[in-house]
Structures are given as structure tokens and as C-alpha cells.
Amino acid sequence: MCFHSAVTSDNHGGGPGVGTGRSVRPRTDRDLHACAEVLAQVHARDGYPVNWPADASAWLSQPELTAAWVAELDGRVAGHVGLSRSAAGDLAPELWSARAGVGADETAVISRLFVAPSDRGHGIGALLMAQAVEEARNRGLHPVLDVVADDTEAVALYERLGWQLLATTEQQWSPDQRATIHCYAAAAA
């Protein structure tokens, strides 16, 4: 199953919150509780992740994870993003690598992106995305992601940031659950 990105709604063009005390730093194990609390708020408001995990902290630390960051706003955790290796069933790495003529191992998957509903409008989603993209490129990898198609706020963020739609496809997540997924790749550097 792919649950890689979450809804964020940012105003990064000089609107509310610009110049506030926001920062991004590497996530530590001590951050997992706060991240799980923010994720619960996002799930309650937006339905992300679609299927609530039995252990939110473990879900945030999936085995493919290579790096993760938290955004802080005025000293509190306001958002999260991860960078992962491609896993079985991840469509975006397969689509981009086929298009680029390289192996899927030359991609990095942006995953577990979310921003607290109360902290949106401060450019946090864009800040987290920039951090993950920069790290992927520093590793010589091309950033990709997928998102549930009806997550319109996340789709709007990715497109505003210049991400390119690779395809829209259906995935069977369980015997009685199908999802429409958009797969994206970052624009060429």
C-alpha cells in the first residue's frame, strides 16, 4: 500500500505567517509522540492516512525510511516529512524510472508529509518538501511521490511547487478497498 503524502495547505507568497518562528530539523525518536499527535489531528480533519495505523510511530518509521524531518512553528512540532527508498508496489518510482530510462533505485520517495491543521498557511508544507527534495538530490536521487487523488489540497501544493504528474492509476489496497492515486515526479533540477 502506498500512503506517502498528506494534505498541506500553505501560503508561501508573503501571506499570513511569513516571518514566523518556523524551522525544519532532522526528526529524532523523541519527536515521534508529537508527530503522532499531529498526524491524529490531520487524520481527524482530512482522513490522512486513509487507514489509521495500529501504531502511528511505527508507521512514521517505515522500514524503507532513509531520513525524516519535522517542521517547528514557534518551538512546537507542526509538520513532518520522510524520504524513503522505493518499496514493492510503489508506482511513482517505477513510472519515473521507465520514463527516464534508469532504475527505480535512482529515485527517492517523499513520504509521510503532513502539517497540523492549525499551523497551515505558514509555508510549512513547502518548507518540508524543499528539505526532502534537497536531500534526495544531494544523494543523487530523483524525488517522486504518490498521493490519493481526492486529496486536492496536497495535489494543489505539489503542482504549485512544479511537480509533474506522471500518471493516475487505480490501486487495490485490500480485497474491498480501491484507491485512485496520482503519481508525481519533481521537475528536473
Side-chain angles (χ1 to χ4, degrees):
M1 277 188 224
C2 60
F3 300 112
H4 293 297
S5 54
V7 65
T8 60
S9 178
D10 291 322
N11 180 345
H12 58 335
V18 173
T20 59
R22 60 188 187 134
S23 62
V24 173
R25 62 172 174 77
R27 188 193 78 199
T28 68
D29 288 344
R30 291 188 318 266
D31 296 317
L32 286 172
H33 180 73
C35 288
E37 287 179 349
V38 172
L39 184 62
Q41 295 166 18
V42 170
H43 180 72
R45 180 185 182 268
D46 304 318
Y48 176 83
V50 172
N51 298 312
W52 184 254
D55 181 347
S57 293
W59 184 81
L60 290 169
S61 301
Q62 79 260 26
E64 300 82 13
L65 188 71
T66 58
W69 300 268
V70 294
E72 290 185 328
L73 182 63
D74 299 328
R76 71 181 182 293
V77 171
H80 176 275
V81 70
L83 190 66
S84 303
R85 295 179 307 277
S86 176
D90 284 344
L91 297 176
E94 293 172 19
L95 291 166
W96 184 84
S97 61
R99 184 176 288 183
V102 299
D105 60 341
E106 293 188 40
T107 64
V109 179
I110 306 243
S111 60
R112 311 311 200 240
L113 173 66
F114 55 89
V115 175
S118 62
D119 294 326
R120 295 178 185 170
H122 296 276
I124 292 170
L127 200 61
L128 287 164
M129 287 290 290
Q131 179 65 52
V133 167
E134 178 182 358
E135 181 66 21
R137 293 192 178 186
N138 287 343
R139 294 174 184 222
L141 303 172
H142 194 86
V144 297
L145 61 82
D146 53 39
V147 60
V148 177
D150 63 3
D151 193 346
T152 57
E153 289 183 67
V155 168
L157 172 66
Y158 305 142
E159 292 181 357
R160 190 170 60 243
L161 294 176
W163 283 65
Q164 300 168 345
L165 180 65
L166 298 171
T168 300
T169 187
E170 295 288 319
Q171 276 193 329
Q172 191 75 39
W173 284 353
S174 70
D176 49 340
Q177 186 180 31
R178 256 181 110 63
T180 302
I181 304 296
H182 291 316
C183 298
Y184 283 91

